[in-house]
Amino acid sequence: MDNVKDINITTAEWRIMRVIWTLGSATSRELIDILGESMDWKPATIKTLLRRLVDKDIVATTKQGNKFIYTAKMQETDTIELTTKQFFDQLCARKVGTAIASLVDESELTAEDIDKIKNALDKKQPVEEIKCNCLPDNCNC
Ligand SMILES: [Zn+2]
């Protein structure tokens, strides 16, 4: 990730992105067929969502004949990494560890996933203390 930018992807936009990442690229017709059926979305809704994703620079669109082809400008792993980081940045710094632990607790993980997490933890250097970054008068950390 060279250009770190703030991205804000809504739940509905994630649905569209999941399909585009899976297919590699998709026409609006394909997206309307897939998401119209699975999500019960109207074509106009899907077109609006696609336009927003293009405006946000997450999706690129190219015209081929009379069709528009949509391709991801942001890779799936980068997007997951960035949005996860953005989410954790919103928490009080002192609550991040607990949030990560409960995330691990509640997630389905393969042996390979668990190895990855253990490996990351083994390499992690602990800090002495984490400063709370809540609002001064509202903190109960
Ligand atoms: Zn705090």
Side-chain angles (χ1 to χ4, degrees), residues 76-95:
E76 188 171 17
T77 46
D78 290 345
T79 310
I80 292 171
E81 202 176 299
L82 192 55
T83 51
T84 306
K85 192 181 176 320
Q86 272 178 199
F87 173 73
F88 279 102
D89 283 348
Q90 294 174 63
L91 308 181
C92 170
R94 282 196 172 167
K95 297 195 169 118

Side-chain angles (χ1 to χ4, degrees), residues 35-88:
L35 293 161
E37 182 146 326
S38 65
M39 300 302 296
D40 204 18
W41 285 345
K42 293 190 170 65
T45 307
I46 295 167
K47 284 178 180 167
T48 301
L49 290 166
L50 282 166
R51 196 171 54 239
R52 284 191 196 142
L53 285 163
V54 171
D55 287 345
K56 291 180 185 182
D57 212 25
I58 297 166
V59 162
T61 176
T62 48
K63 201 164 194 264
Q64 208 172 79
N66 59 354
K67 284 187 295 199
F68 284 99
I69 316 247
Y70 295 90
T71 45
K73 286 184 86 174
M74 295 227 11
Q75 293 312 301
E76 188 171 17
T77 46
D78 290 345
T79 310
I80 292 171
E81 202 176 299
L82 192 55
T83 51
T84 306
K85 192 181 176 320
Q86 272 178 199
F87 173 73
F88 279 102

Side-chain angles (χ1 to χ4, degrees), residues 12-24:
E13 290 164 357
W14 270 104
R15 293 273 177 188
I16 302 247
M17 290 314 295
R18 295 278 302 274
V19 176
I20 294 175
W21 282 320
T22 303
L23 298 178

Side-chain angles (χ1 to χ4, degrees), residues 90-137:
Q90 294 174 63
L91 308 181
C92 170
R94 282 196 172 167
K95 297 195 169 118
V96 168
T98 304
I100 293 171
S102 74
L103 205 57
V104 168
D105 202 35
E106 285 162 27
S107 301
E108 279 193 302
L109 301 165
T110 63
E112 195 189 329
D113 293 327
I114 292 169
D115 278 348
K116 260 186 237 165
I117 296 166
K118 279 184 181 165
N119 194 28
L121 284 174
D122 284 345
K123 285 193 284 188
K124 193 74 191 166
Q125 292 297 319
V127 294
E128 284 284 309
E129 195 200 356
I130 296 172
K131 282 206 165 62
C132 160
N133 55 359
C134 297
L135 291 174
D137 294 332

